[in-house]
Amino acid sequence: IHYCYTQLPSMDLASFVSASHLLTASVMSAPASLAMSKLFWPETEKPTVTLRTGLQINLLEAASQGASTSILLVANIAVNLISFLALLAFVDSALSWVGNLFDYPQLNFENICAYVFMPFSFMMGVDWEDSFIVGGLLGYKTFFNEFVAYERLSKLIHIREKGYVFVFQVRSEVIATYALCGFANFGSLGLVIGGLTSIAPSKKKEIAGGAFRAMIAGTVACFMTACVAGTVDNFGVFYRQ
């Protein structure tokens, strides 16, 4: 579960941000996710499935069972994803409505997330002037999904490249690209619970109990890759044409 949260999404995110940074972040996330999974859930017992026993499978049987299981898997993924995103959209609308009641129309989910994630973005190496913007992107990625966050990031990049007066720097763009590259969000939380539960219904309790911890581990792994990108960027290695 931990590993799934930090892999590069399958959709074409290269149309939003730099493809080279996305590919590099995906490669860096693999060891980071494994390290975080061991820290969050240490393996203290001898594994029941080893490399030797795990290879004793029937290829045709695995293919047929996988095809039949995928029907229920896809249905669970779709339903859970819709329900989580709908719930988060409702929360965002409710916050906007409350803000209008108190003559504070700028109150929305993004601003709240920006204040919450500002310290994290600053610790990753983002300049303090850009920490509020990157914090909002991290909030959208965590509570909605990474595609929404990358879309908003692409708009900020477009504004900067057009030469408008804007404080968002290239360094902040690079760090944000690495920090957003992962499935560690509440939308994927429902996706993973529904998908793995359909495969192993008897392990529903264990899957639900470890899913939130897996999301935290995936988030920390993404932040680790962003810290590395910010550190390397100090030496001028990363740049945009």
Side-chain angles (χ1 to χ4, degrees):
I1 301 177
H2 301 77
Y3 185 78
C4 293
Y5 275 122
T6 52
Q7 296 312 294
L8 183 66
S10 58
M11 293 181 63
D12 185 16
L13 295 179
S15 59
F16 293 152
V17 293
S18 171
S20 60
H21 288 318
L22 286 174
L23 182 60
T24 305
S26 179
V27 175
M28 292 171 62
S29 293
S33 61
L34 291 175
M36 285 298 102
S37 65
K38 290 297 183 181
L39 289 176
F40 276 73
W41 208 317
E43 189 176 8
T44 57
E45 300 177 358
K46 184 178 180 179
T48 57
V49 178
T50 61
L51 181 62
R52 182 176 300 177
T53 60
L55 292 177
Q56 297 176 358
I57 58 175
N58 188 299
L59 182 60
L60 296 179
E61 181 183 359
S64 61
Q65 289 184 355
S68 59
T69 304
S70 64
I71 299 176
L72 185 60
L73 174 63
V74 172
N76 273 276
I77 289 175
V79 171
N80 279 274
L81 187 59
I82 292 173
S83 63
F84 269 77
L85 293 180
L87 178 61
L88 292 172
F90 169 76
V91 173
D92 193 31
S93 301
L95 288 174
S96 300
W97 180 75
V98 172
N100 289 324
L101 289 180
F102 292 93
D103 196 22
Y104 192 72
Q106 61 267 33
L107 177 65
N108 54 39
F109 195 77
E110 181 178 6
N111 287 339
I112 295 176
C113 292
Y115 284 111
V116 173
F117 286 96
M118 273 185 70
F120 296 100
S121 60
F122 181 70
M123 286 187 291
M124 284 186 285
V126 178
D127 292 341
W128 183 251
E129 293 78 8
D130 297 342
S131 295
F132 187 82
I133 300 174
V134 177
L137 296 174
L138 294 175
Y140 265 98
K141 180 257 184 181
T142 302
F143 293 98
F144 287 90
N145 58 57
E146 65 280 0
F147 302 111
V148 176
Y150 273 123
E151 183 180 9
R152 299 181 73 84
L153 176 61
S154 66
K155 293 179 181 179
L156 297 174
I157 296 173
H158 180 73
I159 293 175
R160 178 182 56 78
E161 291 180 344
K162 287 294 184 180
Y164 296 106
V165 178
F166 197 69
V167 297
F168 197 67
Q169 304 176 10
V170 178
R171 172 183 169 83
S172 302
E173 167 198 330
V174 171
I175 296 176
T177 302
Y178 282 78
L180 299 177
C181 187
F183 281 131
N185 53 67
F186 282 98
S188 296
L189 186 66
L191 187 150
V192 169
I193 293 175
L196 295 182
T197 300
S198 65
I199 296 176
S202 61
K203 299 293 183 180
K204 182 177 181 180
K205 184 177 181 180
E206 290 82 354
I207 293 172
F212 184 76
R213 190 191 303 182
M215 189 189 74
I216 300 299
T219 301
V220 175
C222 293
F223 287 0
M224 286 176 58
T225 60
C227 290
V228 174
T231 303
V232 176
D233 189 59
N234 288 332
F235 301 98
V237 177
F238 290 145
Y239 63 93
R240 177 174 290 276
Q241 295 292 340

